[in-house]
Amino acid sequence: MSEIPPPPVQPLRERDGKVELLDQTLLPDKERWIHIETVEQMREAIQSLRIRGAPAIGIAAAYGLAIAASNSDVTATSNLLADLDAAGARLASARPTAVNLGWAVKRVLGHVASTTYGSTEALRDAVWTEARAIMSEDLNMCRRIGLAGAELLQGGSVLTHCNTGGLATAGYGTALATIFMAHALGQDIHVYIDETRPLLQGARLNTWELSKAGIQSTLITDNMAATVLARGDVQAAVVGADRVAANGDVANKIGTLGVAILARHYDVPFYVAIPTSTIDFDCPDGRGIPIEERAPAEVLEFRGARTAAAGTEVYNPAFDVTPAELVSAIITEHGVIRPPYRENLAKLKR
Amino acid sequence: MSEIPPPPVQPLRERDGKVELLDQTLLPDKERWIHIETVEQMREAIQSLRIRGAPAIGIAAAYGLAIAASNSDVTATSNLLADLDAAGARLASARPTAVNLGWAVKRVLGHVASTTYGSTEALRDAVWTEARAIMSEDLNMCRRIGLAGAELLQGGSVLTHCNTGGLATAGYGTALATIFMAHALGQDIHVYIDETRPLLQGARLNTWELSKAGIQSTLITDNMAATVLARGDVQAAVVGADRVAANGDVANKIGTLGVAILARHYDVPFYVAIPTSTIDFDCPDGRGIPIEERAPAEVLEFRGARTAAAGTEVYNPAFDVTPAELVSAIITEHGVIRPPYRENLAKLKR
């Protein structure tokens, strides 16, 4: 078995004692790392989507707290805890609906609040250690998802939709992790990348990530997926998910449902790769998942180029729901889950 | 039965004795009519896609010959015929692969060559009359396609892909004609418009045409079609075709195959609207239809805005082939054709 290489792309790194973020708003045109030296800089980076993807912004928030700890020059641990609370509130409010942001802030603050530290220095170290733990746990989880998924792939071409790569996590990603690991394990693999309108995450981010990993890919518009499947050279479709209901229904980026139906039509397996934290056991099925509708401007333009007259009526759902019966398997850090999903997902419930 | 209104949009018109073209390269941002006063201006307009769509460029070529006839100041009919031959060669070479261009030039030249004219004036009149006949025959055919298709629609929402409207024909169009006629006949109809990447004909042209006709429409990205169908409020999908094989397999704009599979999945009828001239009886099935691959730049750019890094590998087929078994009916100027297609299309063979 080959050595697993380090993640080809990570959204955040420590270098020479500094925290740096890859500015994702500039990709793929420019690869610019920005130094983050204050809580407000981190908050702005999260808010402006310089770092995006649920796990990645949780990690960013945790590092934001570490930076806050280093920047605080108070001498009493109680004052440092108060500074951390204030920083946590600022970070958590950067994108109020992002669950991972609040989760990471709570985890770091809860961890340091549960111990008594002999010095502010010890407390600072504990914050940094916890931020690094969140990062490395996420990376490890992505690696496990990837390895579980790689066992389902058998070389050849894989079709994917939206960006589910290292940029959105600590590294490797979810659906893209299965492809990274298959490649690392020696499979001769190639990826068809749906461009993923309207925001073109596939075109902008997946092409860049896969080229960094040295994996061959071919970019297509979303409406070419049927032809690619009809040609018979796709062995599997692999996507991520924003939420999975208790019965296995999958909410993911708009266009996923179409991929699932086309894959079924051509008898190609359709896999969903997720951390188990994505499973919402309180949600019995897909009907309970609210679908965010976003601004018409996303459909009416791309990077300022207009597609239709202003005032054109637009429907712009950000997500769709794929019924569980179209899902061949759900790939998690605890292995591959097969139908019946309600029963088999429930076994993962803690 | 309601009166059928004149076509809401036409690509070419005569006004105050001048031929004018709507410059489609500027749509939907600007609606600019350009005067065409010479053969070279008409050739440039065809070559630069200011007028596009197979029937429309045939009409443009015929009017180009009429302009050539008016501009020639020779006094012998034999000299005028020679001038027309030269103009025909220029026009036919504007887009060498466009069948209708050569067809229209041959038809006009063949018509005037078959008669002896007493004066150049009489010959000039004959060229203009033939150009107008090509235009009005195409308009009449589109109207008949539209009326045949309207009988299949029952109000509610229709999904369409790519531009098949008046802009590509003498007026009304093919698939869009069925919607225009349904509306004219009093059906309460609404259209979901696939934007149709990579060239966005749906977003740029259909939104404009339908708003001109006063028909309600909603623009979606191509990958939203599955969600729109899943919601259950689409009564039919209607598309055009570039070529139909003798067995009913349909070559049309990339993305059509996906629409057909999704429509079948949701048990929604999938109709193809064409003039019978689109049927290629020499082509037994879809495997015989060559699929043009176009430049990567179309996928890598979005009206000039880049979507992915230069050098990204791209697959860009311009058309796909939908198997006949996914086609609920083929709508022609001779009525609605149902399966078995090989048998029923053959009855249209002259």
Side-chain angles (χ1 to χ4, degrees):
Chain A
M1 182 163 148
S2 320
E3 189 85 8
I4 302 301
V9 168
Q10 291 191 279
L12 181 149
R13 69 185 182 196
E14 287 185 65
R15 181 164 280 196
D16 304 328
K18 301 276 189 204
V19 174
E20 296 183 345
L21 296 187
L22 183 59
D23 188 343
Q24 296 188 32
T25 61
L26 303 179
L27 290 177
D29 305 322
K30 285 188 197 131
E31 187 178 333
R32 182 181 296 161
W33 288 87
I34 47 178
H35 293 273
I36 301 292
E37 299 182 335
T38 68
V39 170
E40 289 308 312
Q41 283 175 349
M42 187 65 91
R43 185 176 194 275
E44 187 278 338
I46 295 168
Q47 201 159 41
S48 307
L49 311 183
R50 300 187 201 288
I51 186 164
R52 29 79 39 205
I57 63 176
I59 292 160
Y63 274 90
L65 288 172
I67 291 165
S70 291
N71 289 352
S72 173
D73 53 9
V74 298
T75 51
T77 57
S78 61
N79 291 342
L80 182 48
L81 284 171
D83 282 358
L84 287 170
D85 277 344
R90 288 293 293 161
L91 291 162
S93 67
R95 289 183 67 189
T97 57
V99 174
N100 285 58
L101 212 50
W103 168 85
V105 167
K106 263 191 210 154
R107 172 167 159 178
V108 174
L109 295 182
H111 175 75
V112 296
S114 68
T115 308
T116 304
Y117 295 93
S119 68
T120 52
E121 204 45 52
L123 174 50
R124 284 189 185 98
D125 284 349
V127 177
W128 279 96
T129 301
E130 193 64 6
R132 289 173 187 138
I134 288 175
M135 176 98 162
S136 79
E137 285 169 24
D138 190 67
L139 187 62
N140 191 41
M141 186 166 65
C142 291
R143 179 201 296 262
R144 288 162 64 191
I145 293 169
L147 287 170
E151 290 186 25
L152 294 178
L153 303 182
Q154 310 118 30
S157 288
V158 173
L159 173 66
T160 192
H161 190 77
C162 201
N163 176 250
T164 55
L167 289 171
T169 61
Y172 301 122
T174 52
L176 231 48
T178 68
I179 292 160
F180 287 137
M181 295 304 161
H183 176 72
L185 296 172
Q187 290 185 31
D188 184 12
I189 206 151
H190 162 267
V191 185
Y192 282 110
I193 302 172
D194 273 358
E195 66 174 6
T196 318
R197 275 279 286 153
L199 296 181
L200 295 162
Q201 292 94 336
R204 292 188 296 113
L205 306 177
N206 284 352
T207 57
W208 185 82
E209 282 207 46
L210 290 167
S211 83
K212 284 279 167 189
I215 297 173
Q216 277 207 305
S217 68
T218 303
L219 177 64
I220 57 174
T221 62
D222 301 311
N223 62 22
M224 293 171 190
T227 287
V228 161
L229 287 159
R231 300 202 309 177
D233 66 345
V234 174
Q235 58 140 315
V238 189
V239 302
D242 288 77
R243 203 189 309 198
V244 173
N247 73 335
D249 287 352
V250 172
N252 190 41
K253 182 64 58 198
I254 190 72
T256 303
L257 171 61
V259 172
I261 294 168
L262 297 176
R264 172 60 52 93
H265 183 82
Y266 288 106
D267 210 16
V268 165
F270 175 83
Y271 300 129
V272 176
I274 51 160
T276 51
S277 57
T278 304
I279 304 165
D280 183 352
F281 289 105
D282 295 332
C283 182
D285 60 47
R287 286 171 302 180
I289 303 177
I291 297 301
E292 176 191 2
E293 277 190 51
R294 293 176 57 87
E298 292 182 351
V299 173
L300 291 173
E301 56 180 64
F302 173 72
R303 293 194 166 173
R306 295 201 66 85
T307 70
T312 298
E313 200 187 314
V314 166
Y315 176 51
N316 184 19
F319 305 100
D320 57 30
V321 176
T322 300
E325 66 258 27
L326 294 174
V327 178
S328 308
I330 296 175
I331 301 162
T332 77
E333 74 276 23
H334 299 304
V336 173
I337 315 298
R338 296 278 185 182
Y341 291 117
R342 193 178 296 283
E343 195 177 319
N344 292 339
L345 289 175
K347 293 175 192 161
L348 301 172
K349 211 168 167 177
R350 278 178 280 201
Chain B
M1 183 162 151
S2 319
E3 189 84 9
I4 303 301
V9 168
Q10 291 190 278
L12 180 149
R13 69 185 182 198
E14 287 184 64
R15 181 165 280 195
D16 303 328
K18 301 274 186 204
V19 173
E20 295 183 346
L21 295 187
L22 183 59
D23 188 345
Q24 297 188 32
T25 62
L26 304 178
L27 291 176
D29 306 321
K30 283 188 197 128
E31 186 178 331
R32 182 182 296 161
W33 287 86
I34 47 179
H35 294 274
I36 301 293
E37 298 182 335
T38 68
V39 170
E40 288 308 310
Q41 283 176 350
M42 186 64 92
R43 186 175 193 275
E44 188 278 338
I46 295 168
Q47 200 158 41
S48 306
L49 311 183
R50 301 187 200 288
I51 186 163
R52 28 67 56 195
I57 63 176
I59 293 161
Y63 273 91
L65 287 172
I67 291 166
S70 292
N71 288 353
S72 173
D73 53 9
V74 297
T75 50
T77 56
S78 61
N79 292 341
L80 182 47
L81 284 171
D83 282 358
L84 288 171
D85 276 344
R90 289 294 294 161
L91 290 162
S93 69
R95 291 182 67 191
T97 56
V99 174
N100 286 57
L101 212 49
W103 169 85
V105 167
K106 262 191 212 156
R107 171 167 160 177
V108 173
L109 295 182
H111 175 75
V112 295
S114 69
T115 308
T116 305
Y117 295 92
S119 67
T120 51
E121 204 44 54
L123 173 51
R124 285 189 186 97
D125 282 349
V127 176
W128 279 96
T129 300
E130 193 65 6
R132 288 173 187 138
I134 288 175
M135 175 101 163
S136 80
E137 284 168 26
D138 190 68
L139 187 63
N140 190 42
M141 186 167 62
C142 291
R143 178 203 297 260
R144 287 162 65 190
I145 292 169
L147 287 170
E151 289 186 25
L152 294 177
L153 304 181
Q154 308 117 29
S157 288
V158 173
L159 173 65
T160 192
H161 190 76
C162 200
N163 176 251
T164 56
L167 289 170
T169 60
Y172 300 122
T174 53
L176 231 49
T178 69
I179 293 159
F180 287 137
M181 295 303 159
H183 177 71
L185 297 173
Q187 290 185 32
D188 185 12
I189 206 151
H190 162 268
V191 185
Y192 281 109
I193 302 172
D194 273 359
E195 65 175 7
T196 318
R197 276 281 283 156
L199 295 182
L200 297 162
Q201 292 92 336
R204 292 189 298 111
L205 306 177
N206 284 351
T207 56
W208 185 82
E209 280 208 47
L210 290 166
S211 83
K212 283 280 167 185
I215 296 172
Q216 277 206 306
S217 69
T218 303
L219 178 64
I220 57 175
T221 62
D222 301 312
N223 63 21
M224 293 172 188
T227 287
V228 160
L229 287 160
R231 300 203 309 179
D233 66 347
V234 173
Q235 56 138 317
V238 189
V239 302
D242 288 77
R243 204 190 309 198
V244 173
N247 74 335
D249 287 352
V250 172
N252 190 41
K253 183 62 58 198
I254 189 72
T256 302
L257 171 61
V259 172
I261 294 168
L262 298 175
R264 172 60 53 91
H265 183 83
Y266 287 107
D267 210 15
V268 166
F270 175 82
Y271 300 128
V272 176
I274 51 159
T276 51
S277 58
T278 303
I279 305 166
D280 183 351
F281 289 105
D282 295 333
C283 183
D285 60 47
R287 287 171 301 179
I289 304 177
I291 298 299
E292 174 189 4
E293 277 191 48
R294 293 175 58 87
E298 292 182 353
V299 173
L300 292 172
E301 293 179 7
F302 191 96
R303 298 200 95 195
R306 293 202 67 84
T307 68
T312 298
E313 200 188 313
V314 165
Y315 176 51
N316 183 20
F319 304 99
D320 57 28
V321 176
T322 300
E325 65 259 28
L326 294 174
V327 178
S328 308
I330 298 176
I331 301 163
T332 77
E333 75 275 23
H334 299 304
V336 173
I337 316 296
R338 297 277 185 183
Y341 291 117
R342 193 179 296 281
E343 195 179 318
N344 292 338
L345 290 175
K347 292 176 193 160
L348 300 172
K349 210 168 166 177
R350 278 179 278 195

